[in-house]
Amino acid sequence: MNQAMQALTGYSGEALLAMTVWEVVHPDFHQMVREHAGARQRGEAAPPRYEFQLVTRQGNVRWVDMTVNRIDYAGAPCSLGFLTDVTERRLAEAALLEQESQYHIAIDTTPEGFWDVDMQGRLIEANEAYARMSGYSREELIGMRISDLDANDDAEVVAKRIGEIIEHGGHASFESRHRRKDGTLWPA
């Protein structure tokens, strides 16, 4: 066992060599790792890369990304694997998902109409309040251009405004009139 594996698990090389893999693989992942390893040893298709959790000597849980291949060693099939600690990435992903969830809850529960657009001025998100105000469903709104909804400005003016918003940090406040699905106008 190399020093990186020793540092990751907290076990000495000698201790790791005396242990079974199941003593460091988190119990929630025993079945998956067992199935992948068994298939690989039988010469069947198995993912060459996957993620699972390890339990360190100190009892901490670490996420690892494993790249593994079947090789022949001393005339017998075995696996050669490389582990990369991806715990920090996994924690960042979880935090981002939580943030995104809170963002969607806030947007979806506000009584104010809200939409978000991409750099070309196409709606990538719209809340239910805006859908009710506009007469379009949320699904219909996604992909529409601001200029499809804005009754005051044409596509060129909207594109200029998007450029200005980007230039000034992504926020702007202005008044406009939008066109509902039925053609009537409303202040936005």
Side-chain angles (χ1 to χ4, degrees):
M1 297 293 161
N2 66 20
Q3 289 183 347
M5 183 67 169
Q6 293 174 54
L8 174 63
T9 63
Y11 291 103
S12 69
E14 296 78 28
L16 285 167
L17 288 171
M19 299 168 70
T20 68
V21 69
W22 311 117
E23 294 174 75
V24 291
V25 171
H26 191 283
D28 291 351
F29 293 89
H30 281 193
Q31 181 177 349
M32 179 193 74
V33 172
R34 185 176 284 116
E35 288 172 2
H36 293 338
R40 188 173 301 101
Q41 296 299 24
R42 291 187 301 273
E44 300 170 2
R49 186 174 179 189
Y50 51 95
E51 294 184 2
F52 59 94
Q53 292 178 330
L54 295 180
V55 180
T56 69
R57 181 171 177 254
Q58 297 79 16
N60 299 321
V61 175
R62 306 295 297 176
W63 276 100
V64 293
D65 179 315
M66 181 172 195
T67 302
V68 62
N69 290 298
R70 181 180 179 217
I71 63 169
D72 288 325
Y73 181 75
C78 67
S79 294
L80 177 63
F82 301 91
L83 297 177
T84 303
D85 187 347
V86 294
T87 304
E88 297 306 316
R89 188 201 78 211
R90 283 290 194 130
L91 292 172
E93 288 172 351
L96 185 59
L97 285 173
E98 177 62 24
Q99 230 177 4
E100 188 174 312
S101 174
Q102 290 175 1
Y103 166 81
H104 283 287
I105 289 169
I107 296 306
D108 290 342
T109 58
T110 183
E112 302 296 321
F114 172 87
W115 43 254
D116 196 3
V117 296
D118 64 15
M119 302 294 270
Q120 289 74 43
R122 290 186 192 276
L123 275 68
I124 56 175
E125 183 170 358
N127 70 358
E128 194 58 42
Y130 187 83
R132 277 193 309 274
M133 292 174 193
S134 70
Y136 291 98
S137 70
R138 289 173 86 169
E139 293 76 21
E140 290 173 311
L141 288 165
I142 304 304
M144 291 180 76
R145 294 183 178 278
I146 296 172
S147 56
D148 297 332
L149 301 165
D150 193 318
N152 290 349
D153 301 322
D154 61 22
E156 187 177 317
V157 172
V158 170
K160 183 179 176 197
R161 187 178 299 137
I162 290 171
E164 291 170 359
I165 292 169
I166 292 168
E167 186 178 315
H168 294 98
H171 302 285
S173 180
F174 54 89
E175 293 186 17
S176 183
R177 290 184 314 149
H178 284 194
R179 188 177 300 104
R180 290 186 179 98
K181 186 175 183 176
D182 67 8
T184 59
L185 302 181
W186 56 288

